[in-house]
Amino acid sequence: MSLLSTDQQLTKHSYYAATVQRDRSFPTLQSNLDCDVAVVGGGLAGLSAAIELADRGYSVVLLEAQQVGWGASGRNGGQVIAGLACDQGVIEAQLGLEASRRTWDMTLEAIALIGQRRERFDIDCDWQSGYLSLAVSARKAQALRTWQAQMQRDYGYQTTWITPQDMPRWIASPRFHSGVHDPAGGHLHPLKYSLGLARAADSLGVQIFENSPVTSLEPGATARLRTAQGSVRASHVLLAGNVYLQGLAPMLERRIMPVGTYIIASEVLDPALAASLVPSKSAVCDTNFVLDYFRPTVDHRMLYGGRVSYSTATPMNLAASMQRRMATTFPQLHAAKAEFAWGGFVDISMNRAPDFGRLTDVGASAEHADVYYLQGFSGHGVALTGLAGKLVAEAIAGNAERFDTFARIRHRPFPGGRLLRTPALVAGMAYYRLRDML
Ligand SMILES: Cc1cc2nc3c(=O)[nH]c(=O)nc-3n(C[C@H](O)[C@H](O)[C@H](O)COP(=O)(O)OP(=O)(O)OC[C@H]3O[C@@H](n4cnc5c(N)ncnc54)[C@H](O)[C@@H]3O)c2cc1C
């Protein structure tokens, strides 16, 4: 089964799709258009770039193969997290401390941007502030404590340490040893947010087309993108297609790996029980390599994510196995049914750092100089996509300094190509899973 058809199945049973009214749809491209910037992909990255470009006076056409928010952006855990998926040490080693600090600060700007857009465009997306990073053992707690101290010392980043004695105030679970509370993070309903951004882009004059997969990209001073029934000529192009680009830019595909991750939403719980699980209502993530991430919803459910799949196959008995995971964390929920189960693919890069650049940076000929790309969010994209779109708009408008800070991060392609990289990754992950258990 192809990645795309597995994904069509996975998205059907999402809590988000069930709790959102798609009050408008966008047409299929059926003509030949000219514009300043063509954006491929109607997820958070593409929509953010479109908004920022329209704000700067550019004419923008956004082409989405399915529906806006159909990809990872409309079905993720909704966790808004400071920082990158990789440790800042990865960035420090490559770019030095000063540039690493700039990337860190930009991740905080990414969180602030969500707040600004919610307000400016009046997007109601169930925002809740607070993020808990919790350690499952004394050994992992020590590593978390060291991280917290380093972040305070080198990045001036303040979070609150939660001692083992204090834990019951933060979470009604026997699984965790201690942790960190970050008031800057939080969570939201990602499909409501994505659709809110689409409405915002539309209101700013962005021409959005759905059910319009781009099948070819012809570079040049004016690039041409073709769909089944139309085409777009543009001075600049942004590829924001995540793991779904499907051959449009093969040089990008080797640099990311689609990894499946899965979520359930419990049935509606007794409000008092729901409120007792995570009293601060924060988003929660453990510090394991293969991590569990969860959060309460506004309608008194527990939304619980975890598991991974390195093949594109959906795990067997997904809902039941995730329900057991949830009940291990919260034994109080042993009888709570999983009413929704779904998943999607994250675009992980080899070093988990985001992979932003121009196609010429990854070996394409000079005529691709105005083709930008954003990928490799590695499961940390809800906030960072927003900032990434802003950086592309800045670069197109002539100030590429901040975009290039990220573009300078070096990435290695996954060895072995599409067929061999999966077994290699499975072997690597087995090692990390083992470490999670120690
Ligand atoms: C299950 C899950 C849980 C996650 N949880 C979190 C979380 O809690 N916190 C967090 O920070 N991150 C999380 N992430 C990651 C986050 O969702 C992503 O990093 C982010 O949404 C990526 O946005 P995007 O715009 O790059 O991609 P997408 O949202 O996937 O959008 C890409 C779009 O491009 C379109 N497209 C691709 N190719 C073409 C083409 N040729 N023509 C036209 N359109 C095309 C696709 O149809 C798709 O809609 C999670 C991801 C998943 C899957």
Side-chain angles (χ1 to χ4, degrees), residues 138 141 161-171 173 176-179:
W161 181 252
I162 306 170
T163 63
Q165 296 71 33
D166 253 0
M167 283 299 278
R169 275 202 315 119
W170 291 92
I171 189 158
S173 168
F176 302 103
H177 179 274
S178 50

Side-chain angles (χ1 to χ4, degrees), residues 41 43-45 64-65 72-73 76-77 79 214 240-242 244 346 377 379-382:
L44 289 170
E64 165 54 47
S73 298
N76 56 61
Q79 305 212 350
V214 177
N242 196 353
Y244 307 106
V346 293
F377 291 98
H380 254 56
V382 171

Side-chain angles (χ1 to χ4, degrees), residues 84-323:
L84 307 170
C86 66
D87 200 79
Q88 283 303 126
V90 172
I91 312 298
E92 283 175 29
Q94 287 203 24
L95 306 184
L97 183 59
E98 275 314 306
S100 179
R101 280 193 182 126
R102 288 201 294 279
T103 63
W104 174 266
D105 288 346
M106 283 193 262
T107 74
L108 302 183
E109 182 182 335
I111 297 179
L113 193 57
I114 291 178
Q116 289 156 19
R117 287 181 173 163
R118 279 172 35 234
E119 199 165 318
R120 175 179 170 198
F121 300 118
D122 197 17
I123 304 175
D124 177 4
C125 56
D126 306 344
W127 170 258
Q128 170 65 52
S129 58
Y131 180 75
L132 291 167
S133 187
L134 302 183
V136 295
S137 66
R139 186 178 68 83
K140 289 192 177 271
Q142 208 174 2
L144 185 60
R145 192 79 160 130
T146 304
W147 171 86
Q148 188 204 23
Q150 274 171 357
M151 290 310 294
Q152 192 163 331
R153 187 191 64 214
D154 296 339
Y155 292 81
Y157 197 59
Q158 304 277 358
T159 46
T160 306
W161 181 252
I162 306 170
T163 63
Q165 296 71 33
D166 253 0
M167 283 299 278
R169 275 202 315 119
W170 291 92
I171 189 158
S173 168
R175 236 191 100 211
F176 302 103
H177 179 274
S178 50
V180 162
H181 175 247
D182 183 351
H187 57 94
L188 47 68
H189 187 305
L191 187 55
K192 286 186 184 172
Y193 184 60
S194 299
L195 297 183
L197 290 189
R199 275 194 303 275
D202 180 51
S203 73
L204 294 172
V206 173
Q207 296 184 72
I208 300 178
F209 295 94
E210 294 182 319
N211 302 305
S212 304
V214 177
T215 50
S216 75
L217 162 63
E218 296 156 22
T222 304
R224 187 190 288 269
L225 293 95
R226 292 187 192 278
T227 66
Q229 300 173 62
S231 71
V232 178
R233 289 182 350 136
S235 311
H236 312 269
V237 174
L238 168 62
L239 301 179
N242 196 353
V243 296
Y244 307 106
L245 276 176
Q246 309 254 350
L248 208 56
M251 62 283 273
L252 293 181
E253 286 181 11
R254 288 178 290 141
R255 297 160 68 91
I256 52 169
M257 168 88 188
V259 173
T261 167
Y262 306 93
I263 307 179
I264 54 169
S266 74
E267 61 186 330
V268 174
L269 304 170
D270 170 69
L273 171 63
S276 70
L277 300 172
V278 186
S280 64
K281 299 186 183 155
S282 300
V284 186
C285 201
D286 69 31
T287 62
N288 285 345
F289 188 80
V290 178
L291 46 82
D292 282 11
Y293 51 97
F294 48 93
R295 64 186 184 84
T297 65
V298 284
D299 59 349
H300 314 297
R301 299 171 192 269
M302 177 53 64
L303 197 138
Y304 202 97
R307 295 205 63 166
V308 284
S309 160
Y310 299 104
S311 69
T312 52
T314 307
M316 304 275 281
N317 306 319
L318 179 61
S321 69
M322 290 297 297
Q323 203 287 339

